[in-house]
Amino acid sequence: MTEEKFTHWIESIFATEEHEIDCHQLQGYLPAFVEGELDGEPTPHASVVKAHLKQCPDCHEVYEGLILVVKTELDTPVVGD
């Protein structure tokens, strides 16, 4: 591990807040959060989800993928309508 990576890791630990969520918790909140983002209606856990997404590139990637999937679904007509 490089010194730079170690320093970043230590800074992340000290930057965490007591009310933050982990990746597993985020996965439970993410579908409603994405729906709220697209509808313009924030969810009750929006602030902790946003904070986690800022700090976790893996979860942010999942978030971006989910946004893309949902937007694509919304733009695609349902067969049989």
Side-chain angles (χ1 to χ4, degrees):
M1 177 182 292
T2 66
E3 183 178 339
E4 182 179 311
K5 197 173 217 175
F6 180 76
T7 301
H8 176 70
W9 181 69
I10 294 296
E11 288 171 349
S12 295
I13 289 172
F14 285 110
T16 58
E17 299 290 328
E18 192 174 305
H19 62 276
E20 288 183 355
I21 57 175
D22 62 24
C23 298
H24 182 72
Q25 290 171 304
L26 177 97
Q27 298 304 316
Y29 296 145
L30 200 54
F33 176 77
V34 166
E35 186 177 335
E37 288 276 291
L38 295 175
D39 291 344
E41 298 176 16
T43 59
H45 302 291
S47 61
V48 293
V49 170
K50 287 178 183 180
H52 183 90
L53 292 174
K54 280 184 179 180
Q55 293 182 348
C56 183
D58 292 337
C59 288
H60 194 270
E61 188 175 327
V62 171
Y63 161 75
E64 288 179 340
L66 188 55
I67 287 282
L68 181 63
V69 167
V70 172
K71 283 183 176 180
T72 301
E73 292 266 330
L74 292 173
D75 291 340
T76 305
V78 176
V79 177
D81 279 351

